Amino acid sequence: MILGIGTDLANIDRISGTLDRFGDRFRNRVFTQTEQRKAEARADVAGTYAKRWAAKEACSKALGTGLRMGISWKDMAVSNLPSGQPVMALTGWAQERLSQMTPPGHEAIVHVTLTDDHPWAQAFVLIEARPVAPDTDQRHRG
């Protein structure tokens, strides 16, 4: 079942200007060290940051809170699988909110997709609840 869905569109030039104006202050407030390493290693630094910014905004919407109620930018972190697929990890208050949203007997899966076409970066986040398979060991105990 779908627990939440969110989307966001970020302007890459706006993020570039923010990076120029605030530099590390902005980077350290919004992005994890892993996200920063990924962005700084890419040819399109601002585009990479903009996609991750959009993903955090989209995730906060999927959580049903927006960026309020104690959620921190760094509570939502985007990384990539070896295949390149983006994934979203939640910690802190974002993880607490996700736990509150997840029905008993289910696990939450956060799906994220990112795209950009200068000057735009876009992200979609879908939060799914999947039933947890019963513990097969439990069924075989006498």
Side-chain angles (χ1 to χ4, degrees):
M1 88 180 66
I2 295 174
L3 298 179
I5 188 168
T7 186
D8 193 66
L9 185 65
N11 184 289
I12 296 169
D13 294 333
R14 181 175 156 252
I15 296 296
S16 180
T18 302
L19 288 164
D20 290 344
R21 196 164 67 228
F22 297 106
D24 286 341
R25 190 169 133 215
F26 172 66
R27 283 181 195 88
N28 294 331
R29 179 173 168 252
V30 176
F31 303 100
T32 66
Q33 289 298 315
T34 300
E35 290 172 314
Q36 290 181 44
R37 279 191 301 274
K38 181 74 162 186
E40 297 298 328
R42 293 263 176 99
D44 184 9
V45 172
T48 302
Y49 278 123
K51 285 186 281 189
R52 279 150 177 74
W53 170 279
K56 291 167 186 272
E57 287 275 8
C59 185
S60 72
K61 293 170 186 175
L63 290 168
T65 62
L67 287 161
R68 58 183 177 86
M69 296 176 60
I71 200 165
S72 165
W73 288 101
K74 290 187 193 180
D75 286 347
M76 302 165 289
V78 178
S79 61
N80 296 84
L81 297 176
S83 65
Q85 177 184 346
V87 293
M88 175 79 69
L90 304 182
T91 59
W93 193 91
Q95 178 59 50
E96 289 176 30
R97 172 67 180 150
L98 182 62
S99 294
Q100 292 168 356
M101 294 171 60
T102 307
H106 290 74
E107 64 179 340
I109 310 295
V110 180
H111 303 276
V112 61
T113 186
L114 308 172
T115 192
D116 65 295
D117 186 8
H118 197 89
W120 301 109
Q122 186 174 35
F124 288 95
V125 171
L126 183 129
I127 302 174
E128 171 190 13
R130 290 185 189 162
V132 176
D135 184 356
T136 55
D137 291 337
Q138 295 290 334
R139 289 185 285 168
H140 298 296
R141 291 184 186 163

